[in-house]
Amino acid sequence: MDELTIVVPVKAAVPNITAVRLDPNTHNLVREGVPLMINPYDRNAVELALRIKDRFGGKVITISMAPPNGKDFLESTIGMGVDEGILITDRVFAGADTLATSHAIAKSIAKLYPNFSLIIMGEETTDSTTAHMPAQVASWLEIPFVYYATDAEPNIKDGTVKITRYLEDEGLLEEFIYNMPIIMSVYRNSNPPRDISLNRKIMAKVNGLVKVLTNKELGLNPDCVGLKGSPTIVAKIEDAKPLPRKKQIFQGDPKEGAKWLLENLVKEGVIR
Amino acid sequence: MVCPEWNQVNKNDYRGIWVYVEHFNGKISEGSLQLIGKAKELASKLGVDVAAIMLGKDLDKLLMEPIYYGADKVIYANDDRLSIYLPHIYAASVVELANKYKPEIILFAATKRGRELAPYVANTLRSGITADCTALDVDPKTRDLDQVRPTYGGNILAHIRTPTRRPQLASVRPNVFPTPPRDESKKGELVEEKLSKLPEPRGRYLGSKSITEEDESGLPPVEKSDIVVVAGKGVNGVEGVKLLTDLAKLLNGTIGGTKKVTDAGWLPTSRQIGQTGRTIRPALYIGMGVSGAIQHVFGMNESKIIVAVNSDPNAPIFNYVDYGIVGDYKQVAEALLELLRERKKQ
Ligand SMILES: Cc1cc2nc3c(=O)[nH]c(=O)nc-3n(C[C@H](O)[C@H](O)[C@H](O)COP(=O)(O)OP(=O)(O)OC[C@H]3O[C@@H](n4cnc5c(N)ncnc54)[C@H](O)[C@@H]3O)c2cc1C
């Protein structure tokens, strides 16, 4: 290996999940007209990639499957220091679940960057929080994967990478050494992202550093992508029904309210 | 219709429910045991057995545990190559077993390790997976697993299905379902499997060290307390959290927060209550400055008594309360502190 090629798949997340509409037939999110932002935790992944590049050299690429207006947030990642961006966009990809999304992303990486060294991804997205994607991309590419990385130190000479990761629920910091290529996700409370340079972002726009990839170039079977290539369906949606509760509401002087509350809680036997 | 690149699935070949039973340092994760209870319930509707899947080395001492908690059998692999947990090796092992036995459903506890493992298994089987389900059911006719989780657009639940593929996979956070009783008189079958197709490790485990998140409150974990005072974004900073922590102490309870509060770093993430945090069922939940988003409500809905203080009379949280006070959290919390201190003196 003479140079690191680091690919960072990023998601165009929905900033405000309560202010969106669902398609009445597919129950999928209607993306038209919804503003896009980069999934916040993906910026930590970009940061780790850039830190590796700062220390060991190489090239960092962001890649995203998004509607055509996704170009802008990929340009923002170039503003952080990324070298180039790839926007995968095609109507046949619409309605993809995580399997179909990971399929398009994995195949794009394999096609454009077959000699990639590392794929680095955010821990999860803030709008759907499945954390599926890194493992699914690994599954398509048949390479190892490790979640929740806080640090990674590649060794270009022997082609290995030392990865530290943090398991939050166990309070455990683990260390691994893997042969590259490998996929890792980045622990969301590590690698706080650097600022976006507006000059670099404009430069990205002017020089066309974000390239668009459609299924014409990718050539995936239309039955294996988008809604058709998604094993899961949203069978139905319904309003969440609150459990029956007493719903006694006090309005008025806060001191009186506190007294009223305490009396009731004592009556309920939950405060002694 | 189905992608021709995937293996053909004949749904009738797939029977039985699996629970992947996670263990670490000789201890089985509670979330896995809870899923055995749920799996039993689903299995009785489908007329099938529940099998626990265990991977590792020197498993002997643990093997009967899933049976004591209700599993009909344990399918396990005792293998040197599994002495250390490498995600892709463990995932490939589950895939190999699933290809052999063809279960219709596989459930994973959504621990950090479980969330890492499950999507690789699902994807390699070219099947679907739903993360962090808040409810699970089965349709006895189609044998589809009904996977329920909140979705976009306010207080809306999505029912997700995998109608054309098998197995169907889902993950569930610990404590969403109760732990079934342990009964050492229960009997079940132990089935040892040898794994053949494991991939190359391509990596090595170097070691680990424990670090605990800073937690200034000194109070018990949120799942371990009968009274939980929960701070929402409306408490507006660490000062507000401090006030509610004092209240929690006086009540002999503990302090928790919404995701907005833990994301802001006002409380450690171990104190986040909700669909993507901890699930609690205390005798008393008191939320202050909490709006009542569905993702939060799913972590506290089963509390015995729910109390909320919110300055907005239209806040959704008031749909979920037994007792609500419309007002400023600070004034109410201070008044409560005063009253409680007086009571203590008496
Ligand atoms: C996929 C996904 C998973 C999520 N998982 C979780 C989860 O596990 N847990 C979770 O909590 N959230 C989760 N969320 C976030 C959730 O949707 C809400 O954004 C969050 O719960 C809101 O937190 P909050 O109530 O503290 O803040 P807000 O919604 O901002 O509400 C603040 C409330 O404080 C009130 N207020 C303001 N000032 C005062 C005052 N002086 N006195 C009294 N009241 C006041 C306001 O009226 C308002 O109702 C998730 C979101 C997504 C998309």
Side-chain angles (χ1 to χ4, degrees), chain A residues 138-199:
Chain A
S139 158
W140 289 108
L141 298 171
E142 297 180 19
I143 58 173
F145 61 103
V146 171
Y147 275 22
Y148 324 115
T150 56
D151 196 14
E153 211 180 296
N155 180 331
I156 298 173
K157 263 205 226 102
D158 70 3
T160 62
V161 56
K162 198 166 106 184
I163 299 172
T164 311
R165 66 108 156 238
Y166 181 55
L167 293 163
E168 208 170 43
D169 51 355
E170 294 173 27
L172 203 65
L173 213 51
E174 294 191 318
E175 242 181 32
F176 299 90
I177 191 159
Y178 273 98
N179 295 329
M180 293 190 274
I182 180 170
I183 296 187
M184 62 190 120
S185 77
V186 175
Y187 175 52
R188 64 187 190 291
N189 293 333
S190 72
N191 296 280
R194 61 193 67 186
D195 290 337
I196 298 166
S197 144
L198 219 53
N199 277 341

Side-chain angles (χ1 to χ4, degrees), chain A residues 17-18 124-130, chain B residues 132 149-150 152 231-236 257-263 272-278 288-297 299 309-313 315-317 325 327-330:
Chain A
I17 57 147
T18 49
E124 60 189 32
T125 58
T126 54
D127 61 351
S128 52
T129 64
T130 68
Chain B
D132 298 340
R149 94 191 288 262
Y152 297 103
K233 182 77 193 308
V235 308
N236 217 8
T258 63
K259 186 166 193 293
K260 281 196 182 173
V261 164
T262 54
D263 279 357
Q272 178 194 324
I273 314 291
Q275 185 210 355
T276 56
R278 308 295 166 112
M288 299 225 184
V290 174
S291 64
I294 189 174
Q295 294 88 358
H296 179 72
V297 168
V309 180
N310 195 306
S311 49
D312 174 6
I317 188 82
I325 298 179
D328 175 43
Y329 87 90
K330 189 158 180 253

Side-chain angles (χ1 to χ4, degrees), chain B residues 221-258:
Chain B
V222 287
E223 302 98 326
K224 297 267 157 69
S225 197
D226 258 354
I227 298 182
V228 184
V229 180
V230 173
K233 182 77 193 308
V235 308
N236 217 8
V238 282
E239 279 304 304
V241 171
K242 170 97 191 7
L243 180 68
L244 297 195
T245 306
D246 290 344
L247 181 61
K249 276 183 187 153
L250 215 52
L251 287 167
N252 289 325
T254 194
I255 182 86
T258 63

